[in-house]
Amino acid sequence: MGENHTRPLSEIEIRVKALETLLIEKGLVDPAAVDALIDTYEHKVGPRNGAKVVARAWTDPAYKQRLLADGTKAILELGYSGIQGEDMVVVENTPEVHNVLVCTLCSCYPWPTLGLPPVWYKSAPYRSRVVIDPRGVLKEFGTEVADEVKVKVWDSTAELRYMVLPERPAGTEGWSEAQLAELVSRDAMIGVAKVAAPGK
Ligand code: FE
């Protein structure tokens, strides 16, 4: 679990850490199995919640309005809430603005919608460089943002966790919510990637 600059570890987090350490020390679990489990939450289970939120916003304009007005409440409509998701702000990518997220102090991240933060998100180089040179960092992720598009960097604060609502790609007209959700990557919701048009 990532640390949280807003508060000490909760009792449950301390217990989870203690249990994990004990199980590994006793040889009852293989650290590789723990890593695999974390990987699953980082890439598969976690971000799928956020992907469903994005797909709903793409297909339901009223939901999108509610999501941008009060992220926490609208995300809860789909059943997602909890630690590090208590105060969510959803920022929308448009043809004029590209948003990207960071926690410059540590690794604050919206767990209920994105799962566990990737290692690079917690790394000092990402945290410092994305603020100074967001376009350069985005380029390293293979994401080109045109000069006329404004890049906004959102730094998680004591109160807020952000999530990016990416642009819906062309060529997805008439797609179902479930089909659209499949297209949405974790990185697109952090803002270091765009959602690619299908077949690209
Ligand atoms: Fe933090």
Side-chain angles (χ1 to χ4, degrees):
M1 299 283 159
E3 72 276 37
N4 179 340
H5 78 243
T6 67
R7 56 170 175 77
L9 287 179
S10 70
E11 193 179 340
I12 187 78
E13 287 160 351
I14 292 166
R15 288 169 70 99
V16 167
K17 265 187 195 297
L19 187 62
E20 182 188 325
T21 306
L22 188 66
L23 290 170
I24 290 168
E25 277 173 5
K26 297 271 182 198
L28 293 174
V29 299
D30 177 355
V34 175
D35 288 346
L37 190 67
I38 288 172
D39 183 71
T40 297
Y41 277 90
E42 196 181 301
H43 294 285
K44 301 188 182 88
V45 179
R48 299 334 302 157
N49 294 349
K52 286 176 192 161
V53 170
V54 169
R56 174 69 56 88
W58 283 348
T59 53
D60 180 342
Y63 180 77
K64 179 175 148 183
Q65 264 188 359
R66 295 199 295 281
L67 184 67
L68 296 175
D70 184 341
T72 315
K73 213 162 134 190
I75 288 165
L76 182 60
E77 281 182 44
L78 300 198
Y80 311 128
S81 66
I83 291 175
Q84 298 235 11
E86 294 95 339
D87 291 289
M88 291 291 304
V89 172
V90 177
V91 289
E92 183 187 16
N93 281 353
T94 67
E96 291 82 36
V97 178
H98 182 93
N99 298 287
V100 58
L101 312 186
V102 66
C103 174
T104 52
L105 286 182
C106 49
S107 61
C108 294
Y109 192 71
W111 293 357
T113 41
L114 296 193
L116 297 172
V119 170
W120 56 258
Y121 182 87
K122 298 184 268 189
S123 73
Y126 176 77
R127 285 158 37 206
S128 54
R129 291 188 48 233
V130 76
V131 178
I132 300 163
D133 179 22
R135 281 171 202 276
V137 171
L138 290 173
K139 217 169 262 178
E140 287 165 25
F141 279 93
T143 302
E144 295 276 352
V145 177
D147 288 341
E148 62 271 23
V149 176
K150 188 176 175 172
V151 177
K152 283 194 193 173
V153 180
W154 299 85
D155 189 3
S156 301
T157 69
E159 288 84 28
L160 298 177
R161 299 291 181 279
Y162 298 96
M163 180 180 135
V164 174
L165 173 59
E167 283 186 276
R168 179 172 173 166
T172 58
E173 295 74 17
W175 281 39
S176 72
E177 233 179 281
Q179 285 174 307
L180 290 167
E182 285 300 313
L183 291 178
V184 181
S185 69
R186 174 197 70 194
D187 288 1
M189 294 181 281
I190 299 175
V192 294
K194 296 178 183 180
V195 177
K200 286 193 179 166

